[in-house]
Amino acid sequence: MDNKQQTTKGRWKLLLVLAVCAAPMIFSYLSYYVIKPEGRTNYGTILDPRQYPIPDLQSHRLGDAPSSAQTGLRDYAGKWLLVTISSADCDAACEKRLHDLRQLRLAQGKEMERIERVWLLTDQAPVETRLLREYDGMRVLQVDRARLAAWLPVAADTTLSEHIYVIDPLGNLMMRYPKNADPNKIKKDISKLLRASAIG
């Protein structure tokens, strides 16, 4: 076998390996978004991830200095991310979203480890210790508000802090939930996503 044939064979093997690796996620997206049985719907608004690639949000963990090593959303790749946004002065609506995210994760039972809760703070103020204790395990990042606002899409007559967003294990922003979202309906969406996906 000459070099040209070996090169061609090697390329085909590489393409086959890539196809096998990509197949589970491609199938899950097709089955969830394209091959929809009649009457099957999703509660959240589907977003085209090509329009919203994750930018550099100048983010760092709560308590770290802004000049310290950055921690971003991509550091949680491989997990499904449920994301909420607010200032550090978390009001009643904000606290309800934190509670909803915790319960949504717990409701997935043995699948809960596939999910990370992420709270993005749009200022550098301290967070009430009670909240950090009550929602222990949530990833809390302080981000640049202007960069965040330029990235995340909002529904008409709403603000960033009124939505819950979903990022898939490959780092794609793919769903947004409405203001005052019904957690029971979100739960159904998340359960379907986890069942359909072999990744994360």
Side-chain angles (χ1 to χ4, degrees), residues 64-153:
D64 289 350
S67 58
S68 64
Q70 292 189 10
T71 298
L73 293 172
R74 293 193 183 280
D75 292 315
Y76 308 123
K79 296 288 186 78
W80 291 90
L81 306 185
L82 301 180
V83 181
T84 186
I85 299 111
S86 78
S87 64
D89 183 19
C90 186
D91 61 15
C94 161
E95 190 163 349
K96 182 183 183 302
R97 284 191 301 277
L98 297 182
H99 176 269
D100 287 347
L101 292 195
R102 183 183 65 189
Q103 298 309 112
L104 284 166
R105 181 174 181 271
L106 289 172
Q108 301 308 320
K110 64 182 181 180
E111 301 292 325
M112 65 185 284
E113 296 303 324
R114 300 171 66 187
I115 298 171
E116 288 281 7
R117 298 164 293 143
V118 181
W119 184 12
L120 299 181
L121 299 175
T122 56
D123 58 24
Q124 301 297 315
V127 175
E128 189 178 350
T129 302
R130 175 186 63 84
L131 290 176
L132 297 177
R133 288 176 178 167
E134 188 166 348
Y135 301 104
D136 185 43
M138 177 174 284
R139 309 296 184 169
V140 186
L141 301 179
Q142 293 175 304
V143 302
D144 182 281
R145 180 176 176 79
R147 290 170 183 248
L148 189 68
W151 170 45
L152 292 176

Side-chain angles (χ1 to χ4, degrees), residues 44-58:
T45 299
I46 302 295
L47 304 173
D48 182 349
R50 295 171 298 180
Q51 297 181 26
Y52 307 104
I54 297 178
D56 176 7
L57 297 173
Q58 303 269 305

Side-chain angles (χ1 to χ4, degrees), residues 172-191:
N172 299 308
L173 176 66
M174 47 80 65
M175 192 174 286
R176 178 191 68 211
Y177 287 100
K179 178 180 178 179
N180 300 322
D182 182 338
N184 289 319
K185 293 180 179 179
I186 299 177
K187 176 187 170 184
K188 291 178 181 178
D189 271 4
I190 300 302
S191 295

Side-chain angles (χ1 to χ4, degrees), residues 31 34-42 192:
S31 63
V34 181
I35 311 170
K36 293 185 178 181
E38 187 175 349
R40 181 175 177 179
T41 59
N42 49 274
K192 287 189 289 186

